[in-house]
Amino acid sequence: RLDKTEVVELADGIKTTNHTGVISSIAGFILSVLSSVFMVAYAMYILAFVRGKKLEMQDIIDFGKKHWIVAFLTSLIAGLIIAGCTILLIIPGIIAAIGLMFYQEVCADNPEMRAMDIIKKSWNMTKGHKMDLFVLGLSFIGWCIVAGFTMMTKSKIGRAVQQECRD
């Protein structure tokens, strides 16, 4: 039988136990599953749009219900490969990221394929084109800089107008 002080100590221990690490880990896992499915569904939508097909929301929901495991596993494997290559050196990480850049589209187009087959197909699609894709990616740096200057200018003009309206 517990006396009153032992019950109070036990209750204090329960109150001060921090479960946020466990909760945030579970939430992070759930979000990673959902985001991988949403990214493949987005690729599915873009592919349908480019092909001139109409894609209903129910098609995307059905895809998510049936193929969420493949979408998540493919995303997980691609992420681990890219992270592992980046840990080795930066350049292999960039090469891996370029080689696996189409895995979401392949998964959206072929959801019945296994995760490793999707990874291999994405890698084969970029074979011989990795440098071209790298240069294409670099070409967007200029657009990002232009967009940044545009946002800075808009922000400064907006603040000036607000200040003028206050005065």
Side-chain angles (χ1 to χ4, degrees):
R1 178 151 194 209
L2 296 173
D3 66 351
K4 186 177 181 181
T5 57
E6 291 174 334
V7 171
V8 170
E9 287 175 11
L10 184 63
D12 285 341
I14 291 172
K15 281 192 275 183
T16 59
T17 303
N18 189 355
H19 297 293
T20 57
V22 173
I23 293 170
S24 65
S25 296
I26 292 170
F29 177 75
I30 291 170
L31 287 175
S32 67
V33 170
L34 288 175
S35 68
S36 62
V37 173
F38 285 139
M39 291 306 294
V40 172
Y42 177 70
M44 191 171 114
Y45 174 78
I46 296 297
L47 288 171
F49 178 78
V50 168
R51 293 172 180 158
K53 296 180 181 175
K54 181 134 173 83
L55 190 67
E56 299 294 327
M57 184 58 89
Q58 190 60 43
D59 297 331
I60 295 173
I61 292 170
D62 291 341
F63 174 85
K65 286 180 182 177
K66 290 179 191 171
H67 305 292
W68 69 272
I69 294 174
V70 173
F72 173 68
L73 285 177
T74 306
S75 178
L76 180 68
I77 292 168
L80 289 173
I81 290 170
I82 293 168
C85 291
T86 304
I87 288 171
L88 292 174
L89 287 173
I90 299 296
I91 303 300
I94 293 170
I95 293 169
I98 292 170
L100 300 176
M101 71 188 305
F102 297 118
Y103 78 88
Q104 293 167 338
E105 288 79 4
V106 174
C107 186
D109 235 8
N110 307 297
E112 67 285 341
M113 287 177 72
R114 294 180 347 182
M116 281 308 296
D117 294 334
I118 292 169
I119 296 290
K120 288 175 188 173
K121 186 169 182 176
S122 176
W123 188 266
N124 289 334
M125 286 172 65
T126 59
K127 194 175 280 184
H129 302 287
K130 287 183 182 63
M131 191 62 177
D132 296 333
L133 292 168
F134 179 70
V135 171
L136 177 67
L138 287 179
S139 71
F140 285 99
I141 291 175
W143 287 109
C144 291
I145 293 170
V146 168
F149 281 132
T150 304
M151 295 306 290
M152 280 187 341
T153 305
K154 180 240 175 239
S155 176
K156 289 185 184 286
I157 291 171
R159 276 193 237 129
V161 168
Q162 277 183 336
Q163 189 64 32
E164 199 59 40
C165 289
R166 287 184 192 154
D167 294 339

